[in-house]
Amino acid sequence: MATAVAGALAAAPAVFVPASAAAAPSADAVIAEVYGGGGNSGATLTSDFVELANRGAAAVALDGWSVQYLPAAPSPTSKWQATPLTGALAPGARYLVGEGKGAGGTVALPTPDASGGINMSGTAGTVALVQGATPLTCLTAADCLADPRVRDLVGYGTAVVREGTGAPAASNTTSVARGSSLADTDDNSADFTAGAPTPLNSRGEGPTDPGPGPGPDPTPSARIHDIQGPGRLSPLKGTQVSAVPGVVTAVRDFGSARGFWIQDPTPDNDPRTSEGVFVFTGSASPKAAVGDAVAVTGKVEEYYPGAADSNGQSLTEVTGATWTVKSSGNALPAPVVLDAATVPDAYTADGDLEARPLQPDAYALDLYEALEGERVQVADTRVVGATNTHNELWVTVEPTQNATAAGGTLYGSYDAQNGGRLKVTSLIPFAERPFPAANVGDTLSGVTAGPLTYDQFGGYTVAATTLGTLTSGGRAAEVTRGQKTTELAIATYNVENLSPKDPQAKFDRLAHGVVDNLARPDIVALEEIQDNSGPTNDGTTAADQTLQQLVDAIVAAGGPRYEWRSIDPQDGKDGGQPGGNIRTAFLFDPARVQFVDRAGGDATTPVGVRKSWLGQTQLTLSPGRIAPADEAWTSSRKPLAAEFRFRGRTVFVVANHFNSKGGDQGLDARVQPPQRSSEVQRLKQAALVHQFVGDVLKSDPRANVVVLGDLNDFGFSPALKTLTDDGSLRDLVTTLPANEQYGYVYNGNSQVLDHILTSPRVTRFEYDIVHVNAEFADQASDHDPQVLRVRPSTGSDLLDWIDQHVFEGWLDGTPPRP
């Protein structure tokens, strides 16, 4: 049988199977589109072209590079043809290489960035982007992709030389083009599709169509409301549209996502279909002006800011566009007014939002989607999210919606998403009109108007062409009172990646916050203390220089000379900014409180609870880390437990920084309710801290235990319920009025991520969230600190009564109670 098979194989005719191969994907410059049918029979374009794009974040210098072409089935004597390139390819930009021109066609390419004369096949061939001008000599896929000069390569149709499987065949009327995300998987068939050619040069210009000559304008293939449709996804997604009419309402001519918005002044009667759309031109400033009446031709795409797998909303765009200006100086359509009367109270429906028609009269998210691209207007709106470093702020158009005491908007439950929130950015050049530095509680007085757009950093946004005037709400940084003699003051403060790489001004700001705003607490639990080299990933783990610099700044600000305790983590094991090795640490005032040192605590040794020979409950290590080897702390900060003595009383303090919310879906996710994937790890972390507190209370039910820090979760979250549901800990934020339960502001929602929790024996206390950062444009950190002033229990009901009713007043300078 083996002989028969061997004979059959020997007798079979030789069949040549072209090899497929792949090189490393390009992180920046790629071939975006190839067209070889220019000037052929039936073609509209007169010339062949190759379009490049930059999917990276930095410009790519093209001087000395080339675009090269090889026939689909090269013979041993075939030669590559090369077109030299010059200049640079900006991030997000296109670069057009004009090639051979035929006798047919009626539409010229836009002015190419480089020109050659290669007559490419209209159906099949290979194009390479080469770091060099010398023609390649390879004739097989394996050889070509092994050549380090080849930056990117596309084989279309029956091309032998290709990446993976070849791209589809082209034709005289179709090109092969990479998707709008510019994905490079090194499989041409996966990365490229065939469609109408859409050449675009680095200036954002498309083909020059001389038009039909005298006579009526061409009939639009679609109007904007047809493109937008009654749902979130365009019914024309992926199709070419032509002569779409609209008036230019705004132009974005900065950054790598340039373009302009157009709006149809003749709307339909369907409130679900937006009359506005964004025309994307990449990093090229579009040749369009506000008030131009235009007819746009291009391809309809759904762009997902932050990538399609981020689960955010999409933005309908027209890409690869060309347009004709019919007239200029036209009046703009009136903006849609957004206020408490027009925005629904309900935020969103549940389920896959892309699978259902919009209900703009029922849900805020649906209303905003139905207005995507249209001009909208807000007036006299209260600021609920302070101006950030990207020149963005948040306002609310529903001023009574869960208002905080300071004028923010409270995020008080998973069902209180607060649909009145909108982000505001500006299309006005900052040299003309500086962006306002707004605090929460300020007002953006007058009218703010512009097209409604969407991005991954917060969602629906008014891109303002008219910006209101800032009116101050008079908000000032809070100053808490100082502790009395008998009160132990314990604070928590996330100092946002503090390291010696930060300017001294940050240390000074934080120091004054501790001294002036927090009133010199006795103990300060710090989160996000980085190692001595900060974000430099050099193996450093010690943070003594970071902590000493902060202590010295506190002394210079008039505060006590705190001592500090911490445990250095293993390099790269605690998450946070790469290289930073963030950890928790304790500062304490030795004139007021004693730190009980018990040696042996290190990065991997767990702290435990034991009884002393006198029967007193104590920690086995101080400071010590809670279960540092448990998988709950993978790539996350480990809690730091310590034992303190104040006026002869023991207080156990646990400093925490639970894992972040990174990876969670946003409130505006397109599948509702959004997934909170990071919550799984925090639940495990909360369970371990709860177990540790349980061990302390099992040993001494009257123990003074304080658990505090950045728990990265809300008071109503499962993680906090894990800590508090059995009554072993009480979350003190719940003791504040509801409209004051916040210390962090995210996307216009005032919320609580930092917490102080206490054991049942802690009954005589005062708790304060000290608002100095989160509501202000000028911040030392993005978190507000918190402070607990407490009279620790003696462990005896009788002694506590005597302490409270007899000695307390004397020590605090007030007459004793009768």
Side-chain angles (χ1 to χ4, degrees):
M1 189 172 183
T3 302
V5 172
L9 289 173
V15 177
F16 175 68
V17 179
S20 63
S26 174
D28 40 43
V30 293
I31 298 167
E33 189 172 0
V34 174
Y35 175 64
N40 293 351
S41 176
T44 300
L45 293 173
T46 59
S47 301
D48 301 344
F49 71 87
V50 177
E51 184 182 306
L52 308 178
N54 185 353
R55 61 198 297 262
V60 177
L62 298 179
D63 291 322
W65 290 32
S66 61
V67 161
Q68 302 193 20
Y69 173 77
L70 183 72
S75 69
T77 59
S78 293
K79 303 293 184 183
W80 285 85
Q81 300 177 70
T83 299
L85 308 179
T86 59
L89 181 55
R94 304 292 171 133
Y95 184 102
L96 187 64
V97 183
E99 296 294 1
K101 184 175 182 179
T106 58
V107 177
L109 295 176
T111 304
D113 299 292
S115 296
I118 302 172
N119 290 309
M120 303 190 301
S121 168
T123 57
T126 300
V127 175
L129 175 60
V130 181
Q131 292 177 268
T134 303
L136 300 170
T137 58
C138 56
L139 297 175
T140 67
D143 289 345
C144 290
L145 295 175
D147 191 323
R149 295 175 297 165
V150 175
R151 189 60 166 265
D152 192 24
L153 183 146
V154 176
Y156 60 102
T158 58
V160 169
V161 179
R162 65 196 190 225
E163 289 181 349
T165 307
S171 71
N172 293 345
T173 58
T174 60
S175 66
V176 291
R178 203 180 288 271
S180 59
S181 67
L182 299 178
D184 184 9
T185 67
D186 276 353
D187 184 340
N188 292 159
S189 66
D191 295 341
F192 286 82
T193 57
T198 57
L200 195 69
N201 65 17
S202 63
R203 294 174 293 281
E205 297 166 337
T208 301
D209 187 346
D217 289 338
T219 302
S221 67
R223 300 190 80 92
I224 295 174
H225 47 252
D226 301 319
I227 293 172
Q228 290 285 9
R232 281 178 161 75
L233 299 181
S234 171
L236 301 180
K237 174 186 175 183
T239 64
Q240 193 79 2
V241 292
S242 61
V244 178
V247 174
V248 177
T249 60
V251 178
R252 183 164 61 208
D253 60 357
F254 55 85
S256 60
R258 303 186 187 195
F260 56 95
W261 286 266
I262 60 173
Q263 187 166 333
D264 194 330
T266 309
D268 65 5
N269 293 319
D270 190 341
R272 301 172 301 173
T273 56
S274 173
E275 300 296 340
V277 72
F278 184 64
V279 180
F280 175 74
T281 62
S283 63
S285 295
K287 293 185 176 180
V290 173
D292 285 352
V294 295
V296 175
T297 296
K299 188 176 183 180
V300 178
E301 296 280 7
E302 290 290 342
Y303 169 62
Y304 289 92
D309 60 3
S310 67
N311 201 44
Q313 307 287 335
S314 65
L315 186 65
T316 304
E317 298 180 336
V318 178
T319 65
T322 62
W323 57 93
T324 303
V325 178
K326 302 297 183 181
S327 62
S328 299
N330 295 280
L332 304 187
V336 175
V337 174
L338 296 177
D339 57 19
T342 59
V343 176
D345 291 333
Y347 186 67
T348 183
D350 285 344
D352 183 353
L353 302 186
E354 290 185 345
R356 47 179 289 276
L358 297 173
Q359 294 179 261
D361 58 341
Y363 301 109
L365 273 189
D366 284 12
L367 173 65
Y368 297 146
E369 176 64 24
L371 296 173
E372 177 195 276
E374 285 194 39
R375 294 187 74 221
V376 299
Q377 170 186 312
V378 298
D380 298 326
T381 48
R382 195 176 68 239
V383 175
V384 294
T387 301
N388 61 25
T389 56
H390 302 289
N391 291 302
E392 303 166 337
L393 59 82
W394 286 79
V395 299
T396 181
V397 298
E398 297 196 53
T400 62
Q401 190 175 58
N402 299 317
T404 68
T409 298
L410 185 73
Y411 182 54
S413 76
Y414 292 126
D415 297 323
Q417 304 98 323
N418 299 313
R421 297 172 298 114
L422 282 171
K423 190 166 72 173
V424 174
T425 61
S426 178
L427 296 173
I428 306 169
F430 295 147
E432 265 180 49
R433 175 75 186 280
F435 196 78
N439 299 328
V440 171
D442 291 350
T443 299
L444 206 54
S445 300
V447 170
T448 295
L452 189 66
T453 186
Y454 178 88
D455 68 34
Q456 71 268 38
F457 303 110
Y460 291 98
T461 302
V462 181
T465 55
T466 301
L467 194 59
T469 302
L470 187 67
T471 302
S472 174
R475 185 74 165 145
E478 183 182 344
V479 175
T480 197
R481 73 166 177 85
Q483 66 272 28
K484 298 177 181 178
T485 303
T486 56
E487 291 177 319
L488 174 66
I490 308 173
T492 176
Y493 202 165
N494 182 319
V495 291
E496 196 177 7
N497 289 319
L498 185 67
S499 83
K501 296 290 180 70
D502 286 314
Q504 181 61 38
K506 178 173 181 178
F507 284 87
D508 295 341
R509 284 282 304 277
L510 291 168
H512 278 286
V514 170
V515 175
D516 302 327
N517 302 95
L518 284 174
R520 307 158 53 115
D522 303 310
I523 301 169
V524 184
L526 299 170
E527 298 87 50
E528 294 197 21
I529 291 291
Q530 291 196 345
D531 63 38
N532 295 334
S533 65
T536 302
N537 197 357
D538 58 2
T540 300
T541 60
D544 55 316
Q545 296 172 23
T546 307
L547 288 162
Q548 193 58 50
Q549 189 171 348
L550 179 58
V551 166
D552 291 344
I554 290 171
V555 173
R561 180 161 291 282
Y562 287 107
E563 294 184 15
W564 55 266
R565 297 290 188 274
S566 186
I567 292 177
D568 296 334
Q570 293 177 289
D571 187 34
K573 298 293 186 181
D574 278 24
Q577 187 176 18
N581 288 311
I582 58 174
R583 81 291 309 273
T584 57
F586 288 113
L587 302 183
F588 65 95
D589 181 356
R592 289 267 302 161
V593 67
Q594 176 191 357
F595 192 98
V596 179
D597 286 292
R598 289 200 182 85
D602 58 26
T604 59
T605 303
V607 63
V609 180
R610 69 186 181 195
K611 289 279 194 181
S612 73
W613 66 277
L614 292 175
Q616 296 172 324
T617 296
Q618 58 185 214
L619 303 183
T620 58
L621 308 168
S622 181
R625 303 178 104 194
I626 294 176
D630 194 283
E631 58 92 21
W633 308 113
T634 300
S635 298
S636 185
R637 286 67 57 184
K638 286 69 176 172
L640 190 66
E643 192 174 323
F644 293 89
R645 298 281 290 172
F646 177 72
R647 296 179 62 221
R649 300 156 198 195
T650 297
V651 181
F652 301 101
V653 185
V654 182
N656 300 271
H657 187 185
F658 285 5
N659 75 298
S660 78
K661 290 184 172 293
D664 286 7
Q665 295 174 350
L667 294 182
D668 57 350
R670 64 179 181 270
V671 177
Q672 292 284 339
Q675 294 182 4
R676 304 187 298 272
S677 57
S678 68
E679 189 176 88
V680 175
Q681 187 172 4
R682 281 194 301 281
L683 279 168
K684 295 177 181 178
Q685 294 175 344
L688 288 175
V689 173
H690 180 264
Q691 179 181 327
F692 176 79
V693 172
D695 291 342
V696 174
L697 296 180
K698 182 177 179 181
S699 177
D700 180 5
R702 298 171 179 263
N704 299 293
V705 182
V706 178
V707 173
L708 76 173
D710 179 2
L711 302 186
N712 263 317
D713 226 331
F714 316 117
F716 50 82
S717 68
L720 268 294
K721 291 183 182 300
T722 297
L723 289 168
T724 60
D725 268 1
D726 70 346
S728 59
L729 288 171
R730 180 186 190 185
D731 188 4
L732 299 189
V733 72
T734 63
T735 67
L736 297 177
N739 64 356
E740 296 180 13
Q741 295 181 15
Y742 65 92
Y744 188 83
V745 180
Y746 181 71
N747 288 351
N749 268 334
S750 295
Q751 53 200 251
V752 59
L753 297 180
D754 306 84
H755 298 260
I756 297 180
L757 304 97
T758 56
S759 58
R761 194 65 184 183
V762 178
T763 58
R764 292 180 292 159
F765 66 85
E766 189 175 284
Y767 165 74
D768 192 7
I769 299 175
V770 186
H771 301 294
V772 296
N773 291 315
E775 296 174 305
F776 298 91
D778 183 18
Q779 301 179 343
S781 167
D782 51 349
H783 291 249
D784 285 333
Q786 303 183 4
V787 64
L788 165 69
R789 291 178 287 269
V790 60
R791 290 180 169 87
S793 169
T794 64
S796 162
D797 291 339
L798 177 60
L799 292 178
D800 280 352
W801 187 93
I802 294 173
D803 180 64
Q804 180 180 0
H805 292 86
V806 179
F807 297 117
E808 185 178 293
W810 284 334
L811 291 171
D812 288 340
T814 57
R817 297 183 179 93

